[in-house]
Amino acid sequence: MTGPISRRMFLALGASVVVAACNDTNASTDSAPASTDSLPPPSSTMPVPKSSITREPFTLGVASGDPTATSVILWTRLAPDPANGGGLDAADVDLLWEVARDPDFTEILASGLVTAEARYGHTVHVDATFAAPDGRGYFRFRTGEWTSPIGSTRLAPAPGSNDPLRIATASCQNWTDGYYAAYADMVDQKPDLVLFLGDYIYEGGPGSLENGDVRLHDSEEPDTLVGYRNRYALYRSDPLLQAAHLTCPWIVIWDDHEVENNYAGTTAQIGPDGEPVDPAVFTARRAAAYQAWWEHMPVRLPAPTDENLTIYRRFAWGDLVNLVALDGRQYRNDQACGDVVLQVTPACPEASDPARSMLGDEQEQWAIDALADSPAVWNVLANQTVMTDIRLGEAIINYDQWDGYAPGRDRLLTGLTERGVANLIVLTGDIHLAGVGNLTVTGEPDTVRGIEFVTTSISSGSNTPDGAEDLFIALPTIVDAELAHRGYTMHTLSAEDWTADYRIVDDARVESSAVRTWKRFLVTAGTPTVVEL
Ligand code: FE
Ligand code: CA
């Protein structure tokens, strides 16, 4: 390191906050020098903490996320034996974190100490404050003789900026179904931000090569904190997924498989014996899953303190985007009508009960307020399950998505219209297909309230029947759909227009598969209309 530590850098050090360490004991470990007399020599940022770790601890890479205009969360986990609980003893471990202008770390922008706590699986979340003319920086962690991989990250632009933005949306990366070729292409595309829309892990058992899985989970279905940690460690061991986390900050929300398929609030799926699962038993499992998710994601959220975890939150990207990240799982009512699948007979009366909610009353009102209260060009919902109305008359094809919560959808979209929210874009995953839809409320099919871009799965296999493509495309709300491929969507936004480039993987069962564009769609600001380019 050649640059001297400036007073400005000193202030940046002092301003950093460790999100993972919200209690007083650990806040003190993020220590900046007490006075300029004790500044470290110009050749380094700070002494690297001593460590007794004897095996490579940075096996799961690094990540960043939840950027603001002044700071970004930096993440890593120390795990010499990632598949087996991490491999460290119960002692906490101190790390040095650094953000630099250059990948050689000659010009340090910010640094500090952080403690990887055993109680959180030796994960860390550093809220790293720094300033750079382009908002970009490189980051790494060090302890003892060990240095992490180097990540590239960036801040959001300051208010007033309308700089273009490139967002990659992704979801559904079932390990056993396929490889992550989509991420290799995403890294090449150099997005500013990745938005992960749920199903980061799948909770199922090992799978079966005989039954067509391309690789196996290394454990039975998890239901404990250690079990879920091991599952995250398996997924994060993938080099293509690690590379995508090294590329840019991510904003992550969860869907169902981070806990269990199609769970709703504290209601589990029917148990393996065909009987309902005791909500107390399921809530304990959910708490373990929520903690493991929090531990492994680069999120700007305090650690869970009880069985719940609030993850819905809002982001600003200059004056270009006001983004609201939703939680469609934790507060929803149980799926109506027994959550039947592909039902084409009229829905039971329960489905249209106005008391039913996808988001819960509090989040629903918060989301309307959060989108209404912004000068941004684009108002964006990061959303779990399909919001476009694909009901067939009185029939609901999929009770797990917003069709099963239509009164709540009507309240949300009507509320946004009444509050004057324009240029509404909903970004969605879950359903393992690529689609574009017009958002409408019940009884007003000709008034488009916004556009939904549904990204296909990174690797999870199709869960719609053969021949359904024609059925979907024939629906009046569906602009287009492609059901056969895995991939992601690359969104390019300016103050004038929004382009969605649907990148699809030729064959996700091949790790080095080619990736190409299926179609590109355009929304021009001011018009709730989407056209194919
Ligand atoms: Fe999925
Ligand atoms: Ca899902």
Side-chain angles (χ1 to χ4, degrees), residues 94-132:
D94 290 335
L95 301 171
L96 172 68
W97 61 268
E98 298 172 300
V99 179
R101 281 277 281 161
D102 60 310
D104 296 327
F105 288 79
T106 54
E107 194 181 335
I108 302 293
L109 299 172
S111 68
L113 295 177
V114 60
T115 300
E117 295 182 69
R119 63 175 173 158
Y120 298 133
H122 293 100
T123 57
V124 298
H125 300 73
V126 176
D127 188 355
T129 299
F130 66 96

Side-chain angles (χ1 to χ4, degrees), residues 172 199 255-257 329 430:
C172 297
D199 293 357
D255 191 28
D256 53 338
H257 286 288
R329 282 291 157 193
D430 177 57

Side-chain angles (χ1 to χ4, degrees), residues 172-183 209 213-216 238 240 457-460 486-487 505 507-513:
C172 297
Q173 51 191 20
N174 191 324
W175 176 271
T176 61
D177 283 358
Y179 293 101
Y180 297 161
Y183 282 129
L209 297 177
D213 290 331
V214 300
R215 50 182 176 174
L216 302 181
D238 185 283
L240 297 175
S457 52
I458 290 287
S459 61
S460 305
R486 320 282 63 90
V505 178
D507 185 356
R509 299 169 60 79
V510 177
E511 193 163 12
S512 60
S513 174

Side-chain angles (χ1 to χ4, degrees), residues 205-409:
S208 157
L209 297 177
E210 293 75 40
N211 290 344
D213 290 331
V214 300
R215 50 182 176 174
L216 302 181
H217 286 145
D218 57 355
S219 68
E220 296 299 326
E221 182 164 334
D223 60 3
T224 63
L225 178 57
V226 171
Y228 280 107
R229 280 176 180 163
N230 289 343
R231 185 57 58 93
Y232 279 100
L234 174 69
Y235 278 61
R236 195 63 76 73
S237 72
D238 185 283
L240 297 175
L241 177 56
Q242 282 196 20
H245 278 290
L246 295 184
T247 294
C248 67
W250 288 39
I251 292 172
V252 182
I253 55 176
W254 61 36
D255 191 28
D256 53 338
H257 286 288
E258 284 85 350
V259 181
E260 185 204 46
N261 180 49
N262 279 16
Y263 83 92
T266 56
T267 305
Q269 282 193 302
I270 297 297
D273 54 1
E275 295 296 319
V277 176
D278 179 349
V281 171
F282 179 68
T283 301
R285 178 185 183 184
R286 198 187 75 166
Y290 281 5
Q291 179 168 335
W293 177 89
W294 174 83
E295 288 174 349
H296 288 84
M297 296 300 130
V299 286
R300 185 184 295 277
L301 299 171
T305 54
D306 59 23
E307 70 273 21
N308 305 307
L309 180 58
T310 304
I311 70 160
Y312 60 84
R313 57 208 195 277
R314 171 180 168 179
F315 299 91
W317 196 271
D319 283 354
L320 189 64
V321 177
N322 180 29
L323 188 149
V324 162
L326 295 178
D327 179 354
R329 282 291 157 193
Q330 189 172 187
Y331 314 103
R332 65 159 73 192
N333 293 99
D334 194 14
Q335 290 88 354
C337 316
D339 198 12
V340 286
V341 182
L342 295 172
Q343 178 100 309
V344 292
T345 54
C348 67
E350 180 194 0
S352 50
D353 179 352
R356 288 173 49 72
S357 177
M358 169 79 88
L359 301 177
D361 295 344
E362 194 175 318
Q363 181 183 193
E364 187 177 293
Q365 190 57 52
W366 170 86
I368 293 170
D369 292 342
L371 284 179
D373 179 26
S374 159
V377 176
W378 300 101
N379 289 291
V380 180
L381 286 173
N383 167 60
Q384 282 82 13
T385 58
V386 170
M387 191 179 283
T388 299
D389 188 341
I390 60 162
R391 287 175 291 181
L392 299 172
E394 300 291 301
I396 293 173
I397 302 171
N398 185 336
Y399 285 84
D400 187 60
Q401 56 194 39
W402 280 89
D403 276 351
Y405 301 80
R409 174 174 58 199

Side-chain angles (χ1 to χ4, degrees), residues 453-524:
F453 290 119
V454 179
T455 187
T456 187
S457 52
I458 290 287
S459 61
S460 305
S462 169
N463 52 19
T464 41
D466 288 345
E469 199 160 303
D470 292 344
L471 180 102
F472 281 134
I473 293 171
L475 291 167
T477 51
I478 298 295
V479 176
D480 212 337
E482 207 276 0
L483 281 59
H485 288 90
R486 320 282 63 90
Y488 69 101
T489 308
M490 193 69 228
H491 305 271
T492 304
L493 294 61
S494 73
E496 289 74 43
D497 49 43
W498 179 305
T499 304
D501 182 347
Y502 280 75
R503 302 289 290 169
I504 54 173
V505 178
D506 280 349
D507 185 356
R509 299 169 60 79
V510 177
E511 193 163 12
S512 60
S513 174
V515 180
R516 61 192 163 87
T517 290
W518 164 54
K519 286 181 180 177
R520 297 170 70 229
F521 297 90
L522 172 76
V523 180
T524 302

